[in-house]
Amino acid sequence: MPSLALVIFDCDGVLIDSEPLGNRVVAEELSRIGWPMDGPTCQAMFLGLTYADVQRVTEHRLERTLGEDWVDRVVARVSAVMAREATAIPGAFDAVKAVAAMGLPIRVASNSSHEEMAAKFACTGLDRLIPRQRIHSAHDLIARGRRGKPDPDLFLEAAAAEGVSPLACLVVEDSLAGARAAAAAGMSCLGFTPDRHGPDLESAGALPFSAMAALPDLIRARLDRTA
Protein backbone atom coordinates (compact mmCIF):
# COMPACT_ATOMS: atom_id res chain seq x y z
CA MET A 1 0.00 0.00 0.00
CA PRO A 2 1.50 3.39 -0.98
CA SER A 3 2.25 5.90 1.76
CA LEU A 4 -0.55 8.30 2.54
CA ALA A 5 0.11 11.68 0.91
CA LEU A 6 -3.26 13.48 0.85
CA VAL A 7 -6.56 13.46 2.77
CA ILE A 8 -9.57 14.59 0.74
CA PHE A 9 -12.66 15.60 2.67
CA ASP A 10 -16.15 15.81 1.29
CA CYS A 11 -17.95 18.94 2.52
CA ASP A 12 -21.65 18.37 3.17
CA GLY A 13 -22.32 15.85 5.91
CA VAL A 14 -18.61 15.45 6.66
CA LEU A 15 -17.34 18.92 7.54
CA ILE A 16 -20.57 20.93 7.44
CA ASP A 17 -23.94 19.82 8.77
CA SER A 18 -25.57 21.42 5.75
CA GLU A 19 -27.56 18.63 4.15
CA PRO A 20 -30.83 19.26 6.06
CA LEU A 21 -30.63 22.96 5.12
CA GLY A 22 -29.85 22.33 1.47
CA ASN A 23 -32.48 19.63 1.16
CA ARG A 24 -35.06 21.93 2.73
CA VAL A 25 -34.40 24.61 0.13
CA VAL A 26 -34.37 22.17 -2.80
CA ALA A 27 -37.55 20.47 -1.57
CA GLU A 28 -39.27 23.86 -1.35
CA GLU A 29 -38.18 24.66 -4.91
CA LEU A 30 -39.29 21.29 -6.30
CA SER A 31 -42.63 21.61 -4.53
CA ARG A 32 -43.07 25.10 -5.95
CA ILE A 33 -42.58 23.91 -9.53
CA GLY A 34 -44.92 20.93 -9.25
CA TRP A 35 -43.15 18.03 -7.54
CA PRO A 36 -44.36 17.98 -3.90
CA MET A 37 -41.50 16.95 -1.62
CA ASP A 38 -40.12 17.39 1.88
CA GLY A 39 -36.50 17.64 3.04
CA PRO A 40 -36.00 14.02 4.15
CA THR A 41 -37.40 12.70 0.87
CA CYS A 42 -35.14 15.05 -1.05
CA GLN A 43 -32.11 13.78 0.88
CA ALA A 44 -33.01 10.16 0.29
CA MET A 45 -33.40 10.72 -3.46
CA PHE A 46 -30.48 13.03 -4.18
CA LEU A 47 -27.82 12.54 -1.50
CA GLY A 48 -24.37 13.06 -3.00
CA LEU A 49 -25.61 14.17 -6.43
CA THR A 50 -25.17 17.54 -8.13
CA TYR A 51 -27.91 20.09 -8.73
CA ALA A 52 -27.47 19.38 -12.43
CA ASP A 53 -28.39 15.76 -11.67
CA VAL A 54 -31.40 16.96 -9.68
CA GLN A 55 -32.45 19.10 -12.62
CA ARG A 56 -32.21 16.18 -15.06
CA VAL A 57 -34.28 13.93 -12.81
CA THR A 58 -36.87 16.65 -12.21
CA GLU A 59 -37.21 17.52 -15.88
CA HIS A 60 -37.76 13.85 -16.66
CA ARG A 61 -40.35 13.59 -13.88
CA LEU A 62 -42.24 16.77 -14.85
CA GLU A 63 -41.69 16.30 -18.60
CA ARG A 64 -40.58 19.89 -19.09
CA THR A 65 -37.41 21.95 -18.94
CA LEU A 66 -36.58 24.11 -15.94
CA GLY A 67 -34.42 26.63 -17.79
CA GLU A 68 -30.68 27.09 -18.14
CA ASP A 69 -30.51 29.24 -15.00
CA TRP A 70 -32.32 26.81 -12.68
CA VAL A 71 -29.15 25.52 -11.02
CA ASP A 72 -27.81 29.05 -10.54
CA ARG A 73 -31.07 30.14 -8.89
CA VAL A 74 -31.05 27.16 -6.54
CA VAL A 75 -27.40 27.74 -5.67
CA ALA A 76 -28.13 31.37 -4.81
CA ARG A 77 -31.02 30.39 -2.51
CA VAL A 78 -29.04 27.61 -0.82
CA SER A 79 -26.00 29.88 -0.35
CA ALA A 80 -28.10 32.57 1.32
CA VAL A 81 -29.45 30.01 3.80
CA MET A 82 -25.99 28.54 4.44
CA ALA A 83 -24.51 31.96 5.15
CA ARG A 84 -26.99 32.35 8.03
CA GLU A 85 -27.59 28.83 9.34
CA ALA A 86 -24.74 26.42 8.51
CA THR A 87 -23.05 24.61 11.39
CA ALA A 88 -19.99 22.37 11.50
CA ILE A 89 -20.24 18.62 12.03
CA PRO A 90 -19.37 17.89 15.67
CA GLY A 91 -15.67 17.13 15.86
CA ALA A 92 -14.88 18.39 12.35
CA PHE A 93 -12.65 21.25 13.52
CA ASP A 94 -10.57 18.98 15.74
CA ALA A 95 -10.34 16.30 13.04
CA VAL A 96 -9.04 18.77 10.44
CA LYS A 97 -6.53 20.18 12.93
CA ALA A 98 -5.35 16.68 13.86
CA VAL A 99 -4.81 15.70 10.23
CA ALA A 100 -2.83 18.89 9.63
CA ALA A 101 -0.77 18.19 12.76
CA MET A 102 0.22 14.83 11.23
CA GLY A 103 1.82 16.76 8.39
CA LEU A 104 -0.73 15.58 5.85
CA PRO A 105 -2.05 18.00 3.22
CA ILE A 106 -5.82 18.44 3.08
CA ARG A 107 -8.16 19.19 0.19
CA VAL A 108 -11.93 19.39 -0.04
CA ALA A 109 -13.81 17.91 -3.01
CA SER A 110 -17.54 18.52 -3.16
CA ASN A 111 -20.45 18.49 -5.56
CA SER A 112 -21.42 21.85 -4.02
CA SER A 113 -20.57 25.11 -5.79
CA HIS A 114 -17.77 27.42 -4.63
CA GLU A 115 -20.44 29.98 -3.77
CA GLU A 116 -22.16 27.56 -1.41
CA MET A 117 -18.94 26.36 0.17
CA ALA A 118 -17.69 29.90 0.74
CA ALA A 119 -20.93 30.68 2.58
CA LYS A 120 -20.77 27.50 4.68
CA PHE A 121 -17.10 27.82 5.54
CA ALA A 122 -17.43 31.49 6.49
CA CYS A 123 -20.50 30.86 8.65
CA THR A 124 -18.81 28.01 10.55
CA GLY A 125 -15.28 29.43 10.63
CA LEU A 126 -13.78 26.51 8.70
CA ASP A 127 -12.43 29.04 6.20
CA ARG A 128 -9.73 29.74 8.78
CA LEU A 129 -8.49 26.14 8.49
CA ILE A 130 -8.89 25.33 4.79
CA PRO A 131 -8.00 27.99 2.20
CA ARG A 132 -10.06 28.52 -0.94
CA GLN A 133 -7.32 27.26 -3.26
CA ARG A 134 -7.53 23.81 -1.66
CA ILE A 135 -11.26 23.43 -2.32
CA HIS A 136 -12.56 21.70 -5.47
CA SER A 137 -16.10 21.95 -6.81
CA ALA A 138 -17.86 19.67 -9.25
CA HIS A 139 -19.39 22.79 -10.81
CA ASP A 140 -15.98 23.56 -12.34
CA LEU A 141 -15.89 20.13 -13.94
CA ILE A 142 -19.47 20.37 -15.19
CA ALA A 143 -18.62 23.67 -16.88
CA ARG A 144 -15.91 21.77 -18.78
CA GLY A 145 -18.28 18.98 -19.85
CA ARG A 146 -17.24 16.51 -17.16
CA ARG A 147 -19.14 15.15 -14.15
CA GLY A 148 -19.11 15.25 -10.38
CA LYS A 149 -19.59 12.33 -8.04
CA PRO A 150 -20.24 9.41 -8.45
CA ASP A 151 -17.76 9.83 -11.33
CA PRO A 152 -14.11 9.89 -10.15
CA ASP A 153 -13.09 13.12 -11.92
CA LEU A 154 -13.40 15.41 -8.89
CA PHE A 155 -11.17 13.30 -6.66
CA LEU A 156 -8.68 12.77 -9.47
CA GLU A 157 -8.52 16.54 -9.97
CA ALA A 158 -7.75 17.04 -6.28
CA ALA A 159 -4.96 14.45 -6.42
CA ALA A 160 -3.48 16.01 -9.55
CA ALA A 161 -3.55 19.47 -7.95
CA GLU A 162 -1.54 18.07 -5.04
CA GLY A 163 0.77 16.20 -7.41
CA VAL A 164 0.21 12.79 -5.80
CA SER A 165 -0.95 9.39 -6.99
CA PRO A 166 -4.61 8.49 -6.41
CA LEU A 167 -3.34 5.39 -4.60
CA ALA A 168 -1.76 7.68 -1.98
CA CYS A 169 -5.04 9.50 -1.25
CA LEU A 170 -7.56 8.87 1.49
CA VAL A 171 -11.13 10.15 1.01
CA VAL A 172 -13.54 10.95 3.86
CA GLU A 173 -17.13 10.65 2.60
CA ASP A 174 -20.67 10.20 3.86
CA SER A 175 -22.60 9.44 0.64
CA LEU A 176 -22.82 6.38 -1.55
CA ALA A 177 -22.10 8.57 -4.59
CA GLY A 178 -18.91 9.81 -2.93
CA ALA A 179 -17.78 6.34 -1.88
CA ARG A 180 -18.32 5.08 -5.42
CA ALA A 181 -16.37 8.04 -6.81
CA ALA A 182 -13.46 7.27 -4.48
CA ALA A 183 -13.45 3.61 -5.50
CA ALA A 184 -13.56 4.56 -9.18
CA ALA A 185 -10.61 6.90 -8.62
CA GLY A 186 -8.61 4.09 -7.00
CA MET A 187 -8.59 5.80 -3.61
CA SER A 188 -9.16 4.42 -0.12
CA CYS A 189 -12.27 5.76 1.58
CA LEU A 190 -13.48 6.22 5.14
CA GLY A 191 -17.28 6.35 5.29
CA PHE A 192 -18.66 8.72 7.93
CA THR A 193 -21.96 7.25 9.18
CA PRO A 194 -23.11 9.05 12.35
CA ASP A 195 -26.48 7.32 12.02
CA ARG A 196 -24.60 4.01 12.12
CA HIS A 197 -26.11 2.95 8.81
CA GLY A 198 -22.93 2.02 7.00
CA PRO A 199 -23.68 -1.11 4.93
CA ASP A 200 -24.18 0.82 1.69
CA LEU A 201 -20.89 2.68 2.09
CA GLU A 202 -19.14 -0.53 3.06
CA SER A 203 -20.52 -2.24 -0.05
CA ALA A 204 -18.89 0.52 -2.11
CA GLY A 205 -15.52 -0.16 -0.51
CA ALA A 206 -15.53 2.40 2.31
CA LEU A 207 -14.55 1.66 5.91
CA PRO A 208 -17.44 2.98 8.05
CA PHE A 209 -16.90 5.05 11.20
CA SER A 210 -19.58 6.75 13.26
CA ALA A 211 -17.89 9.67 15.08
CA MET A 212 -15.58 12.34 13.68
CA ALA A 213 -13.51 12.05 16.88
CA ALA A 214 -12.41 8.60 15.63
CA LEU A 215 -11.00 9.91 12.36
CA PRO A 216 -7.49 10.89 13.55
CA ASP A 217 -6.83 7.41 14.97
CA LEU A 218 -8.05 5.77 11.76
CA ILE A 219 -5.66 7.92 9.75
CA ARG A 220 -2.77 7.22 12.15
CA ALA A 221 -3.45 3.50 11.71
CA ARG A 222 -3.21 3.94 7.93
CA LEU A 223 0.09 5.80 8.36
CA ASP A 224 1.44 3.05 10.62
CA ARG A 225 0.56 0.39 8.04
CA THR A 226 2.44 2.21 5.29
CA ALA A 227 5.44 3.35 7.35
Side-chain angles (χ1 to χ4, degrees):
M1 179 184 294
S3 298
L4 181 58
L6 175 65
V7 178
I8 306 174
F9 285 89
D10 177 42
C11 176
D12 302 296
V14 171
L15 296 176
I16 310 289
D17 190 14
S18 51
E19 288 172 343
L21 298 177
N23 288 316
R24 184 188 79 199
V25 173
V26 174
E28 289 171 353
E29 171 64 15
L30 295 180
S31 297
R32 185 188 67 80
I33 61 178
W35 188 359
M37 187 175 298
D38 59 18
T41 302
C42 185
Q43 174 155 338
M45 292 191 65
F46 301 122
L47 178 64
L49 301 184
T50 67
Y51 290 140
D53 293 324
V54 175
Q55 180 173 358
R56 281 191 288 271
V57 172
T58 303
E59 288 179 337
H60 178 75
R61 167 78 178 229
L62 299 180
E63 297 183 337
R64 62 183 175 89
T65 62
L66 302 182
E68 293 183 359
D69 65 340
W70 187 82
V71 168
D72 291 338
R73 288 188 280 112
V74 170
V75 165
R77 288 189 60 198
V78 170
S79 298
V81 171
M82 295 300 174
R84 300 188 305 267
E85 302 181 42
T87 58
I89 291 289
F93 270 86
D94 289 342
V96 170
K97 290 177 181 177
V99 173
M102 295 177 207
L104 290 168
I106 292 168
R107 290 185 180 268
V108 174
S110 173
N111 275 348
S112 291
S113 68
H114 286 295
E115 180 182 354
E116 290 174 75
M117 286 190 280
K120 298 165 191 173
F121 277 49
C123 186
T124 60
L126 276 167
D127 56 343
R128 299 192 298 270
L129 298 182
I130 305 174
R132 162 68 179 79
Q133 62 268 25
R134 303 193 71 79
I135 298 174
H136 303 267
S137 167
H139 287 227
D140 295 337
L141 297 180
I142 293 168
R144 302 199 300 267
R146 296 162 70 189
R147 292 181 61 84
K149 307 169 194 177
D151 284 27
D153 296 357
L154 189 58
F155 289 140
L156 293 174
E157 181 175 83
E162 193 66 37
V164 301
S165 165
L167 296 177
C169 297
L170 178 65
V171 171
V172 185
E173 264 288 353
D174 73 316
S175 73
L176 182 58
R180 286 173 172 167
M187 300 179 180
S188 300
C189 182
L190 296 176
F192 180 51
T193 58
D195 56 6
R196 291 177 169 80
H197 293 147
D200 287 344
L201 294 182
E202 193 168 14
S203 71
L207 175 65
F209 70 105
S210 61
M212 197 55 66
L215 181 63
D217 285 342
L218 291 171
I219 293 177
R220 290 188 190 98
R222 163 70 186 259
L223 288 171
D224 289 343
R225 289 197 301 272
T226 59

